[in-house]
Amino acid sequence: MDLFTPSVQHWLDLAGIFVFAVSGALLAVRKNFDVVGMLLLASVTGLGGGLFRDLVIGAVPPAAFTDLGYLLTPLAATVLVFFLHPQVERINRAVMVFDAAGLGLFCVTGTVKAHAYGLGLTASVVMGLATAAGGGVLRDVLANEVPSLLRWDREVYAVPAVVGAAAVALLIRAGELNGVTSGAAAALAFVLRLLALRYNWRAPRAWHRRSRRTEESEGEA
Amino acid sequence: MDLFTPSVQHWLDLAGIFVFAVSGALLAVRKNFDVVGMLLLASVTGLGGGLFRDLVIGAVPPAAFTDLGYLLTPLAATVLVFFLHPQVERINRAVMVFDAAGLGLFCVTGTVKAHAYGLGLTASVVMGLATAAGGGVLRDVLANEVPSLLRWDREVYAVPAVVGAAAVALLIRAGELNGVTSGAAAALAFVLRLLALRYNWRAPRAWHRRSRRTEESEGEA
Amino acid sequence: MDLFTPSVQHWLDLAGIFVFAVSGALLAVRKNFDVVGMLLLASVTGLGGGLFRDLVIGAVPPAAFTDLGYLLTPLAATVLVFFLHPQVERINRAVMVFDAAGLGLFCVTGTVKAHAYGLGLTASVVMGLATAAGGGVLRDVLANEVPSLLRWDREVYAVPAVVGAAAVALLIRAGELNGVTSGAAAALAFVLRLLALRYNWRAPRAWHRRSRRTEESEGEA
């Protein structure tokens, strides 16, 4: 199901992949990886979430491997960061805003596609989250970092994605999903993520943690 | 193939997912992750092994995304650990026993399901092991830990799972697989794991290691 | 499509899996893992790239689980390294040469198989790279190491694989793919990798990195 005209949706997808890929390439530079590492992290960040979704819902070969534009967009992001790394770092705040836009877009399209492949609404919401956040998790795992999605000292990322995806699920149930309403759901996730960044919204940690114990058992887990 | 009545098997599955998910949520607390990290680690630990098996055998969408109970059980485990973390830690020994029960259950159901989807007996045993141990490996990878399955200073986990899965394969070959015999195979894996915990059974490391070399090349690998 | 007679190709595949599996088992010994860890890293290194490719192109169950020889080869590699670890370490240079041969072989067979399953030529090249390099990346992720594929201080590995895979894609387009030409493409990747090892060819890092910044933000990424 195309929510917008096919070509508009395609360009939005490419834009989302591009900004995610930029974040992957930037992490590669910070970790002192070479250009191969930059391209791999860019690809995994931009395409990983959708790839995971497509494998789970049985949409093989995944869109990432059937559309040349998808495959080449991370290459463009890598070239940009390779030559203009300091400038891109300097607009890191703008990158975060674009990343939030990608988050909003992908949690919507991921939910819609999963539902179109026959998943239930709850499972589709999970797939919407996976589409939006999966690439970033894979990026961090490959870079041998604790995924920022899991860290308590990072602004919430999953919550806006789940809210946007759940809004889509409610719209599907109500039979009201169309270009306008799904755009509104994406905007909702986008704005929530921006607010989280602006006001440092963080998710809570378990009650009654004992910090001593936390440190002692660091190596035991 | 349902070994027990469908509803009994379903409840056993949910119980197994629950105890695995608890171990994931506990690791998240020890690593100081937030509630999003707890839920993600709980889900990955509880559902990851079966998800990997289903992708490999072509059972898409995987059971984890078609059965709402599967999807929501890790949420229940996360809520429990979130509010009652110290109490759950205190019964860590009991958690290990339940985890061993999950191990016994999943190595059996994983082997049976893989064989039902047309895999050979040896490949089905590998899938039984992957079902039982895969979630824990994914949990450790996401938490940026060396998987405890690989560590020599951990009691054997894979061996009981392989023994249980191999017992199922032999039963299938002999045409003797039914609710009673498969329950016995699960009990065998369960007891072996408990004995491993009780008597600190560990798997051997390679012969003639040179410890100096091990340390020197730590960073080179 | 079999490029060589089926049995020749099968033996080449097994040889490639074997040398990759040896590198996995060796890393496990260096990381002080037990025999379970050795077998898991050997299996993942030998079979992981092809497994990923088969999941993506929809060839399920993957070849790794339908051919007993594929499944058992990592076991043989583990037994070898378990008993003869110091001797295998001593011929580490020879292991690198065999690994380069595996790289050449798998980038060719991976590209051919992906194209046979309907992927476009560019996507097939990516799958050729994934087949050749994916197992090593999974090995390093499981061992909690930064994947050597990403590190700037390692000789290039991805570039020879991409060149070999791209040569196959050009041969397919020209209708000239056969046993001889595909063997030449594998040899090209093999020789490039050997030259990279001999002359320490490394891939460049991004321009204008600021080393201070790199260190400061190590923990932020």
Side-chain angles (χ1 to χ4, degrees):
Chain A
M1 172 184 179
D2 287 313
L3 297 172
F4 311 102
T5 66
S7 82
V8 169
Q9 175 147 5
H10 192 242
W11 281 105
L12 287 174
D13 275 354
L14 292 183
I17 292 168
F18 185 80
V19 291
F20 278 14
V22 166
S23 93
L26 283 176
L27 176 59
V29 175
R30 287 185 203 127
K31 298 279 291 187
N32 209 15
F33 296 158
D34 65 18
V35 66
V36 170
M38 292 174 65
L39 182 53
L40 186 63
L41 281 201
S43 303
V44 157
T45 315
L47 304 172
L51 178 61
F52 175 73
R53 176 204 59 214
D54 287 351
L55 291 180
V56 165
I57 65 179
V60 288
F65 290 99
T66 55
D67 183 314
L68 209 55
Y70 287 5
L71 210 51
L72 296 180
T73 297
L75 186 61
T78 301
V79 169
L80 176 79
V81 174
F82 186 85
F83 289 111
L84 298 173
H85 167 247
Q87 288 85 340
V88 178
E89 277 286 9
R90 212 171 299 136
I91 57 164
N92 200 18
R93 240 188 146 65
V95 172
M96 299 286 265
V97 173
F98 284 118
D99 182 271
L103 163 76
L105 178 69
F106 284 146
C107 74
V108 170
T109 58
T111 307
V112 171
K113 183 166 186 182
H115 189 257
Y117 272 78
L119 264 64
L121 288 175
T122 310
S124 297
V125 169
V126 175
M127 285 291 101
L129 168 61
T131 309
V137 171
L138 286 172
R139 172 198 65 203
D140 294 341
V141 166
L142 282 182
N144 204 17
E145 301 264 327
V146 170
S148 67
L149 195 74
L150 308 179
R151 295 176 61 160
W152 78 275
D153 55 349
R154 289 289 178 278
E155 289 78 14
V156 287
Y157 196 96
V159 175
V162 167
V163 170
V168 171
L170 292 175
L171 288 167
I172 291 174
R173 168 163 294 178
E176 299 286 357
L177 190 77
N178 55 48
V180 174
T181 56
S182 63
L188 175 63
F190 173 60
V191 169
L192 278 178
R193 171 66 180 159
L194 289 186
L195 289 172
L197 286 171
R198 177 75 185 74
Y199 295 105
N200 292 104
W201 289 348
R202 285 171 189 175
R205 286 173 289 167
W207 290 9
H208 311 298
R209 282 161 295 102
R210 282 161 298 174
S211 50
R212 274 254 312 280
R213 162 130 200 109
T214 301
E215 274 152 35
E216 280 170 16
S217 60
E218 196 74 22
E220 289 178 47
Chain B
M1 172 185 177
D2 286 313
L3 297 174
F4 310 102
T5 66
S7 82
V8 169
Q9 175 148 6
H10 192 241
W11 282 104
L12 287 174
D13 275 354
L14 293 183
I17 292 167
F18 185 81
V19 291
F20 279 16
V22 166
S23 93
L26 283 176
L27 176 59
V29 175
R30 287 185 203 127
K31 297 279 291 187
N32 209 15
F33 296 157
D34 64 19
V35 65
V36 170
M38 291 173 65
L39 183 54
L40 187 63
L41 282 201
S43 303
V44 157
T45 316
L47 304 172
L51 178 61
F52 175 72
R53 175 202 60 213
D54 287 351
L55 290 180
V56 165
I57 64 178
V60 289
F65 290 99
T66 54
D67 183 313
L68 210 55
Y70 287 5
L71 210 52
L72 296 181
T73 297
L75 188 61
T78 301
V79 170
L80 175 78
V81 174
F82 187 85
F83 289 110
L84 298 174
H85 166 247
Q87 289 83 340
V88 178
E89 278 285 10
R90 214 171 298 136
I91 57 163
N92 200 20
R93 236 181 152 70
V95 171
M96 299 285 266
V97 174
F98 284 118
D99 182 272
L103 163 75
L105 179 68
F106 284 148
C107 73
V108 170
T109 57
T111 307
V112 170
K113 184 166 185 181
H115 189 256
Y117 272 76
L119 264 64
L121 288 176
T122 310
S124 297
V125 169
V126 174
M127 284 291 101
L129 168 61
T131 309
V137 171
L138 287 172
R139 172 199 66 203
D140 294 341
V141 166
L142 282 181
N144 205 18
E145 301 264 327
V146 170
S148 66
L149 194 74
L150 308 179
R151 295 177 60 161
W152 78 276
D153 55 350
R154 288 289 177 282
E155 288 78 14
V156 288
Y157 196 95
V159 175
V162 167
V163 170
V168 171
L170 292 175
L171 288 167
I172 291 175
R173 168 162 293 176
E176 299 287 356
L177 190 76
N178 55 48
V180 174
T181 55
S182 63
L188 175 63
F190 173 62
V191 169
L192 277 178
R193 171 65 180 160
L194 289 186
L195 290 172
L197 286 171
R198 178 75 185 75
Y199 296 104
N200 291 105
W201 288 347
R202 285 167 190 177
R205 287 174 287 168
W207 289 11
H208 311 299
R209 283 161 296 104
R210 281 162 299 176
S211 51
R212 276 254 312 281
R213 162 128 201 111
T214 301
E215 274 152 37
E216 279 170 17
S217 59
E218 197 73 23
E220 289 180 47
Chain C
M1 173 188 178
D2 287 311
L3 298 172
F4 311 102
T5 66
S7 81
V8 169
Q9 174 147 3
H10 192 241
W11 281 105
L12 287 173
D13 275 354
L14 292 184
I17 292 168
F18 185 80
V19 292
F20 279 15
V22 166
S23 93
L26 283 176
L27 176 59
V29 175
R30 286 184 203 128
K31 298 278 291 187
N32 208 15
F33 296 158
D34 64 17
V35 65
V36 170
M38 292 173 66
L39 183 53
L40 187 63
L41 282 201
S43 303
V44 157
T45 314
L47 304 172
L51 179 61
F52 175 72
R53 176 203 60 214
D54 287 351
L55 290 180
V56 165
I57 65 178
V60 288
F65 290 100
T66 55
D67 183 313
L68 209 55
Y70 288 5
L71 210 52
L72 296 181
T73 297
L75 187 61
T78 302
V79 170
L80 176 79
V81 174
F82 186 85
F83 289 110
L84 299 173
H85 166 248
Q87 288 84 341
V88 177
E89 277 286 9
R90 214 171 298 137
I91 57 163
N92 200 20
R93 237 183 152 68
V95 171
M96 299 285 266
V97 173
F98 285 117
D99 182 90
L103 163 75
L105 178 70
F106 284 147
C107 74
V108 170
T109 58
T111 306
V112 170
K113 183 167 185 180
H115 189 257
Y117 272 78
L119 264 64
L121 288 176
T122 309
S124 297
V125 169
V126 175
M127 285 290 100
L129 169 61
T131 308
V137 171
L138 287 172
R139 172 198 65 202
D140 294 341
V141 166
L142 282 182
N144 205 17
E145 300 264 327
V146 171
S148 66
L149 195 74
L150 308 179
R151 295 177 61 161
W152 78 276
D153 55 350
R154 288 289 177 279
E155 289 79 13
V156 288
Y157 196 96
V159 175
V162 167
V163 169
V168 171
L170 292 175
L171 288 168
I172 292 175
R173 167 162 292 176
E176 299 286 356
L177 189 76
N178 54 48
V180 174
T181 56
S182 63
L188 174 63
F190 173 61
V191 168
L192 277 178
R193 172 66 181 161
L194 289 186
L195 290 171
L197 286 171
R198 178 74 185 75
Y199 296 105
N200 291 104
W201 288 348
R202 285 171 188 175
R205 285 173 290 168
W207 290 10
H208 311 299
R209 281 161 296 103
R210 282 161 299 174
S211 50
R212 274 253 313 278
R213 163 129 201 109
T214 302
E215 274 151 35
E216 279 171 19
S217 59
E218 195 74 21
E220 289 180 47

